[in-house]
Amino acid sequence: MLQPKATGRFAAARKYDLLTAMGAYALGQGKGPQQLTLRLMTLVTARYNWSRNELAVGQREIARLWNVNERTVKREMAKLRGMGWIRLKRAAVRGRVAEYGLEIDQILQDTRDHWRAVGPDFELRMGHEPTETVVPLPVKGQVTAPDCSDGTEWSLAKAVLHSEDPALYAAWGQALSRDGRAGGRLTLRAPSRFHAAWVEQHLKDRLTRICRQIDPDVSEVVILV
């Protein structure tokens, strides 16, 4: 299996193998996932530090590279975090951009069904014999990731929470539903008073922070029953 850090004698081949796996996966997807994967591939090719597993680049620079606005960058990066393909290693602060790392194991897990399209040599090189029977890799946290296809700030926030802490998401975040949005106020509904009280006390600040990373216009998250 491809190593998380592509360094050493065969580093160049490992880099191309990962990009090939991502490209084969993208070509088998619909327009949205295909575009998202292409954007990540372009960003990785242009700015990723393979030896340090570091992607440190500002949103303005990413927006220019992708030919989109910074709001789109926030949403696309949140989708990639929700998929488990990238993780936030260091949050952005004044004078310093955010730093991300690639979750190569998760990328390989999600793309492996498309390796055979490249060829049996590629399957073998990536660590699997080219057969129809392949033992599935374990699912991260054994918790199903939320559907974020509607693109709302809450769907993307749930995906990010799932990628950061699947158990916390399953216990408390999954049951919260989006009730509405009025300006910067995002209203969520909990299934019970106890659930709402726990989220209010222990999780609300984290949810607010995640939502703001996705949509800076979110100023408040309100939990209702």
Side-chain angles (χ1 to χ4, degrees):
M1 181 74 66
L2 197 69
Q3 296 299 313
K5 291 187 177 181
T7 58
R9 180 180 176 185
F10 302 106
R14 294 192 183 103
K15 296 172 186 178
Y16 283 120
D17 283 346
L18 180 62
L19 291 171
T20 298
M22 294 168 66
Y25 166 85
L27 291 171
Q29 306 304 308
K31 181 179 179 180
Q34 188 176 87
Q35 186 178 59
L36 180 62
T37 306
L38 175 60
R39 284 171 172 166
L40 177 60
M41 291 173 65
T42 304
L43 185 59
V44 167
T45 303
R47 290 290 181 262
Y48 181 63
N49 185 320
W50 292 91
S51 62
R52 297 173 58 184
N53 187 22
E54 178 182 282
L55 182 60
V57 56
Q59 292 178 359
R60 184 175 301 176
E61 187 177 358
I62 297 175
R64 185 169 60 248
L65 177 65
W66 288 355
N67 194 30
V68 299
N69 57 40
E70 292 185 44
R71 185 179 295 272
T72 299
V73 171
K74 288 179 179 291
R75 288 182 173 272
E76 296 290 78
M77 295 298 279
K79 289 179 184 178
L80 290 167
R81 288 174 64 188
M83 293 166 61
W85 283 26
I86 64 173
R87 62 183 173 88
L88 183 64
K89 297 174 65 175
R90 187 179 65 189
V93 297
R94 185 179 296 276
R96 189 178 68 186
V97 300
E99 179 182 313
Y100 296 90
L102 282 185
E103 295 285 21
I104 293 179
D105 285 344
Q106 186 66 43
I107 294 173
L108 294 178
Q109 176 180 315
D110 291 345
T111 61
R112 55 186 280 275
D113 287 345
H114 298 269
W115 296 351
R116 68 187 60 183
V118 182
D121 59 322
F122 184 77
E123 277 195 291
L124 182 62
R125 187 165 68 251
M126 296 296 279
H128 293 280
E129 293 293 338
T131 66
E132 294 298 318
T133 303
V134 182
V135 177
L137 296 175
V139 178
K140 183 180 180 180
Q142 300 300 323
V143 179
T144 303
D147 179 12
C148 57
S149 59
D150 62 9
T152 65
E153 75 290 288
W154 177 235
S155 293
L156 296 175
K158 287 199 297 182
V160 170
L161 180 63
H162 172 270
S163 70
E164 292 180 348
D165 194 330
L168 183 67
Y169 163 78
W172 301 103
Q174 189 173 27
L176 297 174
S177 60
R178 188 182 192 273
D179 187 68
R181 172 84 178 265
R185 182 177 182 178
L186 174 64
T187 304
L188 306 176
R189 285 203 174 271
S192 68
R193 291 185 182 278
F194 174 78
H195 197 109
W198 195 96
V199 171
E200 183 76 29
Q201 183 176 357
H202 300 285
L203 190 56
K204 180 179 175 179
D205 289 346
R206 184 172 182 177
L207 294 179
T208 302
R209 172 181 57 79
I210 293 174
C211 287
R212 283 176 177 169
Q213 290 175 354
I214 296 165
D215 184 349
D217 291 337
V218 174
S219 58
E220 181 183 13
V221 174
V222 178
I223 312 298
L224 300 178
V225 180

